[in-house]
Every structure is written in C-alpha cells, then in structure tokens.
Amino acid sequence: MNNGKVLSLGLQHVLAMYGGAIVVPLIVGEAIGLTQQQLTYLVAIDLFMCGIATLLQVWKNRFFGIGLPVVLGCTFTAVGPMIQIGSSYGVSSIYGSIIVAGLMIVILSKYLGKLVRFFPPLVTGSVVTIIGITLIPVAMKDLAGGEGSADFGSLSNLALGFGVLVLIILLYRFTTGFMRSVSVLAGLIVGTIAASFMGKVDFSGVRDEAWVHVPHFFYFGMPTFDLTAILTMFLVLLVGIVESTGVYFAVSDICKEEVTEKDLAGGYRAEGLAITLGGLFNAFPYTAYSQNVGLLQLSGIRTKSVVFAASGILIVLGLIPKIAAITTVIPSPVLGGAMVAMFGMVISSGIKILSEVDLQKQENLLIIACSIGMGLGVTVVPDLFAQLPEGIQILTGNGIVAGSFTAIILNIVFNVLAVSKVRTPETSVQKEMVTK
C-alpha cells in the first residue's frame, strides 16, 4: 500500500473521531469558564495528546501497548465528572485527579483484568447511564444560548440548536458507513456556517492566533490533589478500561489476532501512561474509540500503518493552534444541539450495556434503581450529605461516585456474596461427611 493511500485512510480515521475529540474540551472548557485563548490551547493539546495516546497503544513493546490498530480519544464518560470537579475544586484539581488516577491505572495494569469482575455490565451500565443523565442539563443550557447569556432561549438560538440536532438525525437516517460516523462533525460545521450568516460567529480570535505552538507542562498552573476528585476520576477510568477491553476484543476479532492477558495489561498500561501525560499537559483521560472499529470493518484495511498515520496527523494538527482556534468559534446553540445527541447516546450506551443483564432477576432491577436513583439524587440535591463527616463525603459528595459505589456494593451483596453463600453449606456438608 503506497504512502498516499496510507495517509488518506489515516485521515479518514481522524475525521471519524475528530468530532468527539474537539467537543469534549469545548464542553468542559465552556462549562468551567475558560477564555477563548485557553479553549484554543485545550483543543490543540487534546488533538496532540490523542495522537500520542494512539501511538503509545499501537506501538507494542515489552512495557506497554496492545499492538492492535485502535484509535484513542478522550472519553465522554469523564465529561460530567471533570465539570463537577472543576466547579467544586478548580481547574487545577481536574488535572491533579487525572495525573494520580492515570498513575494508578499504570500501577494496577497487571491486576485490572481481575478487578474487572467487580464491574460487570450491571455496574458499568448503571454508571454510564448516570453520567449521561447528569450531562443532559449542560446540553440543554448550551442549546438555549449558554447559561447567563443575554439571548438565552431566543428563537434564533433554539432554531440553530434544534436545526443541528435534526441534521444529525437525518444523516443517521439516510446515510451509512463513513458519512454516518462523521454526522456530528458535519452538524457542527453546517450549524456554524448557518450561525455566521446570523452574526453569531466571531473569527477575531482565529486571526490573532499563532500558526505554531509548542505544548508545555501545567498550562493552567500546578495541579492540586483532592481525594474526592481523585476517587471520582479513578472510577471513571475503570469504566473506560472496561469499554476499551471490549474494543480490544472487537478489533482482535476483526484482525484475527489473539489477545492474551499480557497484551491486555500492556494495553491498560498504555492508556494509564497516556492519561498521566494528558494530565501533565492539561489534556484529558483517553479510551479506545469504538467508532473507529466500524471504519476498520468498513474499509477492510486492518494494518497498523494506517493508525500510525492517523496518530501522526493528530499530532501535527495539535501543533497548529490556528486550526484549534477555528473550533472555538462554534456558538453555544450549535454545540448544544450536537451535545443533546451525543449525551443522549451516552445514556443509550448505558441502556445497551444494561440490556446484557438478566432483568428477570428482581435483585438486578433493585441495584439499577438504587444506583441510578442515588446518583441522580445527589446530583440534583448536592447538599444532601453536607452534614456528614468529610471522610464519608468523599463517597457521597458527588452523584457519579455515590451512584457508582451504590452499584458496586449492591452487586457484591446480591451477586458476589450470594454465590459464596450458596457454596458454603455444600462445603460444610462435605466436611461433615469426611469427618464422619
């Protein structure tokens, strides 16, 4: 395969994940009140680190890397937690939690395959559903023009936001393959063009931005470390690890390559390393992107050289802040319209995962009900546990953490310990028979 074809196929992979890659920093940055210049850096460094993360994963060696043609991008699962951490403890705490949680993944990579048993579909599905539900208000506020904006809820904002949403739906309905995979990106582009004719787009920041920059450590200052934030991020990363594991096996099946326990450990270590580096450069947590798995199947090209090319393109794009600046001019209503679809898909993903659960068992229904109820309840009423000791508030002060722990503990009580109790009487009887 010649270099031109490799580059074009690599670009196709970049386009398939580009929408998700730029939307995460835009959503988080806007929610925590960053300036346009800071948003530009955030988008640029995110693209750069997506390239580095993908490179670490594909480049298999004795220390890290799964060695499969997978593309890594920032996980949507972390959007809600990052906004909550940033709002409660500041931007520096976001990156402190990412750095520590990433290092924990690296250290525990050898054992994560065993820890995954505590994150069955019952738990991960509940957690992903909670995260999606808590993100919807963010999307709706942006669709109306952004909280606090002078024209909040105006007809022009609603027309833009719902117009983008309708366009994404139409592309999903009437297109297939690659075009469907870039429907969100297409919606953002068309929506921004429409907004420019309505006078809602300001390109002055793009003109003032430099063509080239060098990423540097701690752009937003030295990280700070809060235990609740770290615990929240670690739980989010564990969910991301479970998602990535599914992608690894899907790609291994497509490529007809067997994945061993050692390969999985290398993959987890690469993700942890990429996440830690992302925290140092003030980027985001990463996970294997499932949309690129569809492209592997669609194109029929399953060589790692194509994904190496994609990682190179992402790194180059990340070094050109003027390109990143273009994405920061996307108006809030346009972004909000796309977010409704994307965050709705997060909820759908959670429901899809839960569909693998035996819902005939009342215990499982109770676990789902209590974990989602607790997660949503704490999110809506954040002061619910304000009178409890600070040590306990680590587990109760955040809706996602509270809901996640509820799911994990109830799953252990109803499913893990229940199995042990069933086996115990049999073991006792056998011992008694041996004694007699």
Side-chain angles (χ1 to χ4, degrees):
M1 190 163 40
N2 60 48
N3 292 336
K5 188 172 183 181
V6 170
L7 279 174
S8 64
L9 289 168
L11 180 60
Q12 185 171 260
H13 272 287
V14 170
L15 290 174
M17 57 83 70
Y18 192 81
I22 65 169
V23 165
V24 171
L26 289 176
I27 294 166
V28 175
E30 189 175 287
I32 60 179
L34 299 185
T35 65
Q36 186 170 351
Q37 187 177 15
Q38 290 172 325
L39 271 177
T40 298
Y41 175 83
L42 206 59
V43 173
I45 196 61
D46 179 52
L47 291 173
F48 179 83
M49 284 308 304
C50 281
I52 296 294
T54 300
L55 186 63
L56 291 174
Q57 195 62 279
V58 183
W59 176 35
K60 184 179 180 180
N61 53 72
R62 59 182 294 193
F63 301 109
F64 57 80
I66 192 73
L68 292 170
V70 295
V71 175
L72 268 66
C74 37
T75 173
F76 273 95
T77 312
V79 171
M82 285 191 291
I83 292 173
Q84 289 185 4
I85 292 169
S87 302
S88 302
Y89 308 105
V91 180
S92 60
S93 189
I94 294 176
Y95 296 109
S97 67
I98 290 173
I99 291 167
V100 175
L103 284 173
M104 290 168 71
I105 295 295
V106 173
I107 294 167
L108 296 172
S109 57
K110 186 178 178 181
Y111 311 100
L112 282 176
K114 297 176 178 62
L115 283 177
V116 166
R117 67 187 287 260
F118 294 105
F119 287 81
L122 179 62
V123 173
T124 56
S126 299
V127 173
V128 172
T129 304
I130 292 166
I131 291 169
I133 290 171
T134 58
L135 284 171
I136 290 297
V138 177
M140 299 309 286
K141 287 175 184 176
D142 267 5
L143 189 148
E147 191 171 14
S149 63
D151 60 347
F152 186 87
S154 67
L155 288 177
S156 59
N157 285 344
L158 296 179
L160 266 178
F162 283 109
V164 169
L165 179 59
V166 169
L167 177 59
I168 293 170
I169 292 169
L170 290 174
L171 287 172
Y172 255 83
R173 171 64 181 83
F174 295 107
T175 63
T176 57
F178 175 69
M179 195 61 218
R180 175 180 283 191
S181 70
V182 297
S183 58
V184 171
L185 180 60
L188 290 172
I189 292 170
V190 173
T192 303
I193 292 171
S196 67
F197 286 109
M198 299 166 70
K200 292 180 178 288
V201 180
D202 180 13
F203 288 100
S204 59
V206 179
R207 289 193 296 269
D208 297 338
E209 196 61 57
W211 276 103
V212 180
H213 78 152
V214 177
H216 52 85
F217 291 126
F218 308 131
Y219 179 85
F220 294 104
M222 291 298 292
T224 54
F225 305 96
D226 181 88
L227 190 56
T228 303
I230 292 168
L231 183 60
T232 302
M233 192 57 64
F234 182 64
L235 283 169
V236 168
L237 297 191
L238 283 179
V239 173
I241 287 293
V242 175
E243 292 174 346
S244 289
T245 304
V247 173
Y248 298 158
F249 282 114
V251 174
S252 69
D253 186 56
I254 292 170
C255 298
K256 310 297 180 190
E257 291 186 29
E258 186 181 353
V259 173
T260 65
E261 192 172 317
K262 185 178 178 182
D263 292 330
L264 287 175
Y268 300 150
R269 204 169 292 120
E271 282 199 25
L273 187 58
I275 290 164
T276 304
L277 287 172
L280 294 173
F281 281 107
N282 292 162
F284 297 101
Y286 300 97
T287 190
Y289 266 19
S290 56
Q291 53 261 55
N292 292 86
V293 178
L295 269 185
L296 288 175
Q297 193 76 37
L298 183 70
S299 66
I301 307 296
R302 293 135 196 188
T303 60
K304 289 188 284 187
S305 59
V306 170
V307 178
F308 275 122
S311 67
I313 293 169
L314 285 166
I315 290 169
V316 171
L317 288 174
L319 295 174
I320 307 174
K322 198 172 279 288
I323 292 176
I326 293 172
T327 64
T328 65
V329 304
I330 300 173
S332 293
V334 174
L335 196 58
M339 284 158 60
V340 171
M342 289 185 294
F343 295 162
M345 288 298 286
V346 174
I347 298 173
S348 297
S349 297
I351 295 170
K352 182 182 178 183
I353 295 168
L354 288 173
S355 69
E356 301 172 23
V357 177
D358 181 5
L359 298 179
Q360 296 301 315
K361 290 178 64 176
Q362 290 296 318
E363 295 91 337
N364 290 343
L365 291 176
L366 183 65
I367 293 168
I368 295 167
C370 291
S371 57
I372 293 178
M374 182 64 74
L376 188 57
V378 173
T379 300
V380 175
V381 189
D383 296 329
L384 179 65
F385 298 110
Q387 302 301 316
L388 294 179
E390 285 189 14
I392 297 176
Q393 285 188 48
I394 292 171
L395 304 178
T396 61
N398 177 295
I400 294 166
V401 175
S404 300
F405 263 98
T406 302
I408 293 167
I409 291 168
L410 290 182
N411 179 63
I412 291 171
V413 170
F414 283 108
N415 293 325
V416 178
L417 294 181
V419 172
S420 301
K421 285 182 179 179
V422 169
R423 289 173 181 168
T424 303
E426 295 176 2
T427 307
S428 302
V429 171
Q430 287 169 359
K431 285 182 178 178
E432 188 178 343
M433 289 174 68
V434 170
T435 306
K436 288 182 179 179

